[in-house]
Amino acid sequence: MNTRLPSPQPAPAAPAPFPYDGPPALRAPIAAALARVVDPEVALNIVDVGLVYGVAVDDEVVHVRLTMTSATCPVIDLILEDAERELDRVVPPALRICTELVWTPPWTPERMSGEAKRIMGW
């Protein structure tokens, strides 16, 4: 008797750890790119710190909303540049990258991932 096992189904794409609106095929690469950006003040990536407020992708633009832990953050420009550089590595060349710095709602430690809180001892 020859019984066939069902073919394994691909796992569904993991949801981005921030609001994402765009093509499913870009969700994981964009999330991975942003996770490679480190906030040097806390030595954690900006996704785990909770600095990414959302990503929207349309036919022309990848729009990323970011915040900082403080308006007086001395590395704002560095983080924005790193985010754009990492996104440029994974986003199709036809799409423009727009990073927007937002302050509302204000960042709070509750935005941090469980792993980031554990590392920070919170």
Side-chain angles (χ1 to χ4, degrees):
M1 174 186 220
N2 186 3
T3 58
R4 293 183 99 161
L5 296 175
S7 300
Q9 297 297 315
F18 44 79
Y20 175 84
D21 181 26
L26 288 177
R27 178 184 12 218
I30 287 173
L34 292 171
R36 288 190 296 269
V37 178
V38 174
D39 180 337
E41 289 192 303
V42 293
L44 294 168
N45 75 68
I46 64 173
V47 174
D48 282 340
V49 176
L51 301 183
V52 181
Y53 276 13
V55 175
V57 181
D58 63 27
D59 292 338
E60 298 176 6
V61 178
V62 175
H63 182 229
V64 181
R65 294 176 54 242
L66 300 171
T67 196
M68 299 295 140
T69 57
S70 163
T72 60
C73 176
V75 292
I76 291 173
D77 291 337
L78 176 66
I79 290 173
L80 292 175
E81 289 169 12
D82 287 352
E84 289 177 4
R85 182 176 47 255
E86 289 298 334
L87 288 166
D88 195 42
R89 294 174 55 194
V90 300
V91 169
L95 296 177
R96 185 170 48 89
I97 297 166
C98 173
T99 54
E100 177 186 7
L101 186 60
V102 298
W103 300 107
T104 305
W107 179 88
T108 65
E110 288 77 32
R111 295 195 50 85
M112 295 172 68
S113 71
E115 180 67 8
K117 288 177 184 176
R118 184 189 67 72
I119 290 170
M120 298 291 289
W122 294 8

